Amino acid sequence: MSLADGRIPVLDIGPALAGAPGAAEDLAARIARTCADTGFLVLAGHGIDPALPAGCFDAAAQVFALPDDEKLALKVGEYNIGYLPTGAQVIRTSKVAEVKKPNLNESFYIIRDYPPDHPAVLEKRPFVAPNRWPPGLPAFRAAALAYFAAMEALAQRLLPVFTMALGMPPGYLAGDFRDPTCTLRLIRYQPQPDPEEGRFGFAPHIDTNFITFLAQSALPGLEVRTAEGEWLRPPAIPGTFVVNTAEMLGRYSNGRFTPTPHRVLNQNNAMRYAIPFFFGPDNDAVIRPVPSCVTADNPVRFEPLLYEDHRRQLNLRNFAHRQAQPAVG
């Protein structure tokens, strides 16, 4: 496995976020080139306080260190909120590999924080329910939500740039992201110093949202597959974020920006932690290819897709608990 050699570029987004003349257009052009290749990039100059991802990594270590009975009391239900034990996810919907074995990780899912009496909760809207907070970790909620808020804000600031990368005006997709679906997934990967065939910390897959933000982990493990079939590791630069395109951006682009397969192999002799933040459209958004990506040579390749339907199908197929006894939460 070689180094990325520029296939996964490091981009300073500071000038674009500061509104420097021409900076957003230049960044959009560089993002477009990368999205048409590996679909992975590394962002510097983002302005996120380093204490926020550090606090979230600490929170992840704390929640996974809880006794099993306390974690299982917070186990996910219908909407995948809370704790997911090791062995509970097999990526059957993977479009890049035949996956038969469960991932070697345990996870904790956090969504937008709805109180129990929120109208959306009382109306039982799809994918809306209160988070499941561990009662013995009072600082956990604050650390997770602070990081969640910072990442959602950064994603919204970058949405116009990714829209420009598609060749559309900056505000074109804003209507599909008025109430975006955001998920913070805390993950602990078990060590695999001698990986067995077909077993991964996270099996080869593509992300199914719009774009994903991944704070740099202390230990390596993430690998990205190029179109040539080579597996690369993104540049490991402390304080930066690895960002990858996902399936909905691919659909908006009419296949121009194909999401890149990636996997996790934790060949370290220690637990590995990750805190990916998934940014997706509104549940009621209907995803269609944008006009700039539809031509006579590349006619519309995707039918309109209600994002809520897309999420429901993924949950039904990839998680063991949904194939047993669904329960809200």
Side-chain angles (χ1 to χ4, degrees), residues 21 36 43 48 51 65 75 77 97 112 115 131 136 138 149 152 161 163 188 239 246 263 266 270 283 315:
L43 300 186
I48 299 294
K75 188 176 177 180
R112 195 177 307 286
N131 280 306
E152 182 179 2
V161 182
T163 307
R188 183 167 75 170
R263 67 187 184 188
N266 182 21
N283 276 326
N315 278 1

Side-chain angles (χ1 to χ4, degrees), residues 141-174:
R141 178 176 182 173
L145 290 182
Y147 183 69
F148 188 109
M151 297 315 298
E152 182 179 2
L154 178 61
Q156 286 284 19
R157 294 185 72 187
L158 287 172
L159 177 62
V161 182
F162 275 85
T163 307
M164 293 165 64
L166 289 167
M168 297 301 294
Y172 183 83
L173 292 180

Side-chain angles (χ1 to χ4, degrees), residues 23-42:
E25 291 80 3
D26 178 66
L27 178 61
R30 298 184 70 184
I31 287 175
R33 287 195 294 271
T34 304
C35 289
D37 183 23
T38 63
F40 270 72
L41 46 99
V42 176

Side-chain angles (χ1 to χ4, degrees), residues 24-227:
E25 291 80 3
D26 178 66
L27 178 61
R30 298 184 70 184
I31 287 175
R33 287 195 294 271
T34 304
C35 289
D37 183 23
T38 63
F40 270 72
L41 46 99
V42 176
L43 300 186
H46 46 73
I48 299 294
D49 184 347
L52 293 176
C56 194
F57 275 117
D58 288 344
Q62 291 169 12
V63 76
F64 293 125
L66 290 173
D68 286 346
D69 60 340
E70 293 186 30
K71 290 186 288 188
L72 290 172
L74 304 169
K75 188 176 177 180
V76 297
E78 182 179 2
Y79 295 144
N80 283 3
I81 302 168
Y83 177 67
L84 187 74
T86 300
Q89 183 179 22
V90 180
I91 308 299
R92 296 181 178 86
T93 58
S94 177
K95 299 178 180 179
V96 298
E98 184 179 2
V99 180
K100 297 181 178 180
K101 297 182 179 180
N103 292 324
L104 284 172
N105 72 63
E106 54 184 326
S107 299
F108 197 95
Y109 292 85
I110 298 163
I111 66 166
R112 195 177 307 286
D113 201 34
Y114 296 96
D117 59 352
H118 190 280
V121 175
L122 298 177
E123 293 167 13
K124 296 184 178 180
R125 293 183 191 170
F127 299 102
V128 175
N131 280 306
R132 295 187 163 180
W133 301 111
L137 299 176
F140 176 87
R141 178 176 182 173
L145 290 182
Y147 183 69
F148 188 109
M151 297 315 298
E152 182 179 2
L154 178 61
Q156 286 284 19
R157 294 185 72 187
L158 287 172
L159 177 62
V161 182
F162 275 85
T163 307
M164 293 165 64
L166 289 167
M168 297 301 294
Y172 183 83
L173 292 180
D176 284 357
F177 290 84
R178 291 168 297 184
D179 184 22
T181 55
C182 300
T183 300
L184 172 60
R185 181 175 183 175
L186 313 181
I187 309 175
R188 183 167 75 170
Y189 293 101
Q190 300 172 17
Q192 281 183 279
D194 299 304
E196 64 177 278
E197 183 70 25
R199 201 76 195 270
F200 299 89
F202 215 113
H205 66 288
I206 60 171
D207 287 353
T208 58
N209 48 300
F210 182 75
I211 53 176
T212 302
F213 293 78
L214 190 67
Q216 294 276 3
S217 299
L219 298 175
L222 174 65
E223 298 177 351
V224 179
R225 194 182 76 189
T226 67

